[in-house]
Amino acid sequence: MPPELKDHKNGPIIAPVPHKPKPLMDFHGQQQEQQQQPDQSFYFKRPSFFNRIYLSGVIHRPNDLLFLGHGLISIIRTLVCLLVVDLPFLIATRFRTNSERHPVSWGAFYSFSMAMSRACSSSVHNVAQLRLVSNIITWFVPLRMLHLSSNSYSVKPNVQIKVHLNTLLEPERKTLAQTRARLNLDHSFDGIHRNPVNPSPEYLASFLPNNPHNPGRLANLPEESGDLGRDGTYTLRGEWIEALTDLNEEASRENRGGAAMRGPRSNVVLLYCHGGGHVFCSATFHRQVVTRMLLELGPGARAFVVDYRLAPEDPFPAAVHDIYATYLYLTQPDNPAITLCTNGSSSSTFSPHRHVTTPILPKDIVLAGDSAGAGVAIAFQLYMRDYVQPSIEPKLETPPVTVLISAWTDISTSMPSATSRHTYCYTPSPMGVNPFVDEATFYAFPKFNFARAYLCGDSKLVPNERNCRGRHMVWEWYRHLAQHPLVSPVYTADLSGLGGATLLQTGAFDRLADDTRLYAHKLGQANPDQRVRLELYRDMVHVHQFFEFLPMADKALYTMAEFIYDSQDKYRNSINNGSGAGKEGARGETEWIVMETDGTEWEGHHDEGCPISVLEDCWNPEMREKAAANA
């Protein structure tokens, strides 16, 4: 552990790590006077050996073992309640009314699985415990995939790409040059404007969209706070999955109404961003659900599931940069920002088993993600539009189809579905704090704060410049970054111009149902010439597609495949006809589809969810204006 200093007012302070000062350069490339060097500097300090073990999910602290016992007690208590309370109630009501823990449409096994999941999530209080649970579930992935024919798919794990960060961020830095120059117009450097260890109010306010200190300017992005090699690179990992030709599996797909194939082999390539609250889960964790997606798309469909860097080791915007690097890997494998590692590769293996050597056409790529991964996917779209495209030539073509599952679009989880007390969904409630509350409320948060870890990291485990100056500065970083358009796009981002068709899926019992509903509504309003479809599944929970024993999970994957093929067909037709991408087949507003548990579906906004007008005001406008004035 790094040394800890005491501050009786603001709590513990992590001592900044001094390093040899480098010559300072202003925005015009001129070397500045040495006396302008700030009095403190900080760089990322790699966690200790024991902290690395702790962060890997291998628990070594005795008090953390208590959460296992608490989880077991919660499971037993929930099962007893199901048998002693809920079952008699269901019998008395003739299974026509939902009980507190068991909707009548759920089977016994589903209720048992949800009870176990809720018990585990209620007893988790830190990132190490989350990762331990993730590791345990990952161990069972091979068992969960036994029902899939081994000849129907192939997996190449641990694909590695070396990313040259400075080269990767060249477009971003060019685009933001004017915004950042405004923070230092007098070319002075007193340690407060451009030194993130001791940031000025102007520096923090630069992260807000359309704030008084930055009128009409693009929201600034903080520099990365993670670990880099001596050469300024880091290794990005992921895995390739491909649906293979299997006549028996193909016949099975046709018998159960699988998606119709377009041609002998599918050209679809999913760029998949896995969920996990920005702090846990992996490509391996999501292997089973992504494989089932590909089998619905048919033989030849591929997916690259990227293991983007997680918080608290690598807070925002590291994950967004990783998706951008992955997109370059797929579409421009010779880009100087990336180097393809050769470990595990062989020239004699089939194409998806080795690195991309022939660029994949953007029109064949489908951007997809679930939960926090869906939020990162949205952030990538905005990042490409606002931070990359203005500074590069020729412009990069973006994927024409996007699929978002239970998208986390409000980092503070302030909407009603996220804070409701019903006991159906297994995800914790809530996962963040509204950026307009006071500091005392922020630190009174009783659970693990996913949002805080994503934006500020962890001062005890991974000290960085955002958390090394004590509790008050952590709050300042949080309340400013939480309003960034790439962090909470549903409230602060301009969604116009996000090209392509978008499918959003959520469940009525999903904690992030309102995040997905409001984002779909605003996206449709901002892009009337694009197709936006929202599918809300009755009685389903967060990312219900993950549970293969649910009929509604298969239904969701089937409609997903149909949407992808239909949207790609319309995109190709619009290009061939010269009418512009997305024009043909556009609906003018969001298609609002409610999926019943019996498989029927109907269109309309009457999904019994919270009204959109209420969701739009969850970030109270008066509080937002007051916070902006005090920024």
Side-chain angles (χ1 to χ4, degrees):
M1 290 289 294
E4 201 172 84
L5 304 179
K6 296 295 183 181
D7 184 326
H8 297 290
K9 180 179 180 180
N10 292 324
I13 295 179
I14 301 300
V17 182
H19 66 89
K20 185 177 180 180
K22 297 179 180 179
L24 294 175
M25 308 296 290
D26 63 19
F27 282 98
H28 298 283
Q30 302 297 321
Q31 184 169 329
Q32 297 182 1
E33 296 295 331
Q34 190 61 43
Q35 61 265 25
Q36 295 175 343
Q37 174 72 20
D39 57 354
Q40 294 189 90
S41 58
F42 184 85
Y43 66 89
F44 174 89
K45 183 174 182 179
R46 188 178 177 87
S48 67
F49 172 76
F50 289 106
N51 280 345
R52 290 200 299 272
I53 295 178
Y54 190 67
L55 287 166
S56 69
V58 180
I59 292 182
H60 62 276
R61 296 180 180 178
N63 61 329
D64 286 322
L65 294 176
L66 295 177
F67 100 92
L68 295 175
H70 182 269
L72 180 60
I73 293 173
S74 298
I75 290 174
I76 295 174
R77 182 175 65 247
T78 303
L79 292 178
V80 170
C81 290
L82 281 170
L83 294 175
V84 178
V85 179
D86 293 75
L87 183 58
F89 173 80
L90 293 169
I91 293 175
T93 58
R94 299 182 180 181
F95 290 88
R96 294 177 180 175
T97 305
N98 293 341
S99 68
E100 184 179 356
R101 280 161 288 271
H102 176 76
V104 293
S105 61
W106 287 6
F109 182 72
Y110 190 24
S111 288
F112 173 76
S113 300
M114 290 300 103
M116 293 180 61
S117 301
R118 287 193 297 270
C120 290
S121 66
S122 66
S123 60
V124 170
H125 291 91
N126 61 52
V127 66
Q129 295 168 359
L130 281 164
R131 291 180 179 177
L132 176 63
V133 173
S134 173
N135 292 340
I136 293 173
I137 297 176
T138 301
W139 295 339
F140 288 93
V141 167
L143 182 62
R144 294 182 61 212
M145 298 188 72
L146 286 179
H147 75 286
L148 301 175
S149 171
S150 60
N151 296 325
S152 63
Y153 66 92
S154 66
V155 178
K156 176 59 180 178
N158 198 29
V159 176
Q160 298 185 15
I161 310 161
K162 179 176 284 189
V163 180
H164 305 268
L165 186 60
N166 282 333
T167 305
L168 184 76
L169 300 187
E170 281 181 1
E172 171 191 315
R173 288 170 176 165
K174 289 180 181 179
T175 303
L176 285 173
Q178 189 175 16
T179 296
R180 290 172 175 172
R182 290 172 63 86
L183 302 174
N184 195 33
L185 292 177
D186 58 357
H187 306 297
S188 66
F189 194 83
D190 55 9
I192 63 172
H193 283 296
R194 288 164 52 197
N195 180 6
V197 177
N198 188 23
S200 67
E202 293 81 6
Y203 181 81
L204 291 171
S206 69
F207 302 128
L208 303 177
N210 299 320
N211 63 84
H213 300 287
N214 189 35
R217 301 287 180 176
L218 186 63
N220 194 9
L221 275 172
E223 291 294 330
E224 287 200 12
S225 300
D227 193 12
L228 292 176
R230 293 181 179 273
D231 57 351
T233 65
Y234 66 91
T235 301
L236 181 62
R237 293 175 172 84
E239 69 176 36
W240 277 104
I241 308 175
E242 184 190 13
L244 303 177
T245 301
D246 184 343
L247 298 179
N248 294 329
E249 180 66 21
E250 190 66 15
S252 174
R253 288 178 68 256
E254 293 177 359
N255 291 336
R256 57 190 168 87
M261 286 291 299
R262 267 65 167 179
R265 291 183 63 84
S266 174
N267 292 323
V268 172
V269 177
L270 293 181
L271 196 176
Y272 195 86
C273 312
H274 69 77
H278 299 294
V279 297
F280 73 116
C281 289
S282 63
T284 305
F285 186 98
H286 284 70
R287 181 181 297 170
Q288 194 257 14
V289 67
V290 175
T291 301
R292 287 165 47 227
M293 291 180 187
L294 296 177
L295 293 178
E296 287 292 345
L297 290 166
R302 294 180 289 164
F304 186 77
V305 188
V306 55
D307 268 322
Y308 56 85
R309 291 169 294 167
L310 299 174
E313 298 95 322
D314 295 278
F316 170 81
V320 183
H321 291 155
D322 287 353
I323 306 304
Y324 173 48
T326 303
Y327 191 67
L328 293 180
Y329 161 63
L330 296 178
T331 59
Q332 300 180 9
D334 296 328
N335 193 288
I338 58 175
T339 299
L340 309 185
C341 302
T342 58
N343 64 304
S345 298
S346 171
S347 60
S348 62
T349 54
F350 188 61
S351 175
H353 284 193
R354 62 178 187 268
H355 279 296
V356 173
T357 54
T358 301
I360 296 173
L361 298 177
K363 67 181 181 64
D364 293 329
I365 296 177
V366 175
L367 180 65
D370 67 274
S371 192
V376 173
I378 296 169
F380 162 72
Q381 291 180 300
L382 296 168
Y383 179 78
M384 287 282 289
R385 184 194 68 185
D386 295 337
Y387 297 86
V388 175
Q389 300 284 39
S391 301
I392 62 170
E393 291 294 342
K395 305 300 182 186
L396 291 175
E397 186 179 350
T398 54
V401 184
T402 303
V403 175
L404 306 172
I405 303 171
S406 299
W408 190 7
T409 61
D410 164 26
I411 199 68
S412 69
T413 53
S414 302
M415 299 190 205
S417 67
T419 56
S420 62
R421 298 184 180 275
H422 70 69
T423 56
Y424 299 145
C425 193
Y426 59 90
T427 52
S429 168
M431 295 183 288
V433 177
N434 192 300
F436 309 108
V437 300
D438 55 33
E439 185 176 345
T441 303
F442 174 69
Y443 279 106
F445 190 75
K447 302 179 181 180
F448 177 70
N449 195 323
F450 289 79
R452 173 184 171 183
Y454 178 52
L455 299 180
C456 301
D458 188 307
S459 62
K460 295 182 179 179
L461 298 174
V462 193
N464 61 44
E465 67 272 14
R466 302 181 203 173
N467 56 48
C468 71
R469 295 293 295 170
R471 293 162 61 93
H472 176 69
M473 193 52 64
V474 171
W475 160 242
E476 289 296 323
W477 275 98
Y478 175 85
R479 76 182 185 94
H480 286 86
L481 288 180
Q483 301 176 65
H484 197 282
L486 302 191
V487 174
S488 298
V490 74
Y491 283 127
T492 58
D494 174 13
L495 303 180
S496 61
L498 293 186
T502 303
L503 170 67
L504 301 102
Q505 294 182 339
T506 186
F509 293 155
D510 184 0
R511 295 283 190 196
L512 299 183
D514 287 342
D515 288 57
T516 306
R517 293 168 70 248
L518 181 57
Y519 181 80
H521 171 74
K522 288 191 171 183
L523 184 65
Q525 281 191 323
N527 301 278
D529 59 339
Q530 303 290 352
R531 185 184 182 191
V532 179
R533 176 183 172 95
L534 171 70
E535 295 178 353
L536 186 137
Y537 290 78
R538 292 281 194 193
D539 295 352
M540 294 296 105
V541 295
H542 185 66
V543 194
H544 75 277
Q545 296 83 349
F546 189 81
F547 303 97
E548 62 274 14
F549 49 81
L550 287 176
M552 282 294 95
D554 288 336
K555 173 71 172 178
L557 299 182
Y558 162 68
T559 60
M560 186 185 301
E562 284 293 303
F563 180 88
I564 289 172
Y565 281 129
D566 184 60
S567 299
Q568 286 189 334
D569 285 346
K570 288 183 169 59
Y571 177 81
R572 283 191 291 266
N573 292 336
S574 65
I575 296 298
N576 294 335
N577 296 334
S579 57
K583 296 291 185 180
E584 184 177 347
R587 306 299 178 94
E589 62 179 12
T590 301
E591 303 172 44
W592 209 279
I593 308 298
V594 178
M595 300 286 188
E596 300 288 353
T597 52
D598 61 2
T600 60
E601 61 182 73
W602 48 275
E603 187 171 359
H605 284 259
H606 307 292
D607 59 11
E608 300 178 3
C610 194
I612 294 296
S613 58
V614 174
L615 302 182
E616 290 177 323
D617 290 338
C618 285
W619 277 21
N620 188 287
E622 295 180 1
M623 296 173 62
R624 292 164 63 181
E625 293 175 2
K626 182 178 179 180
N630 296 331

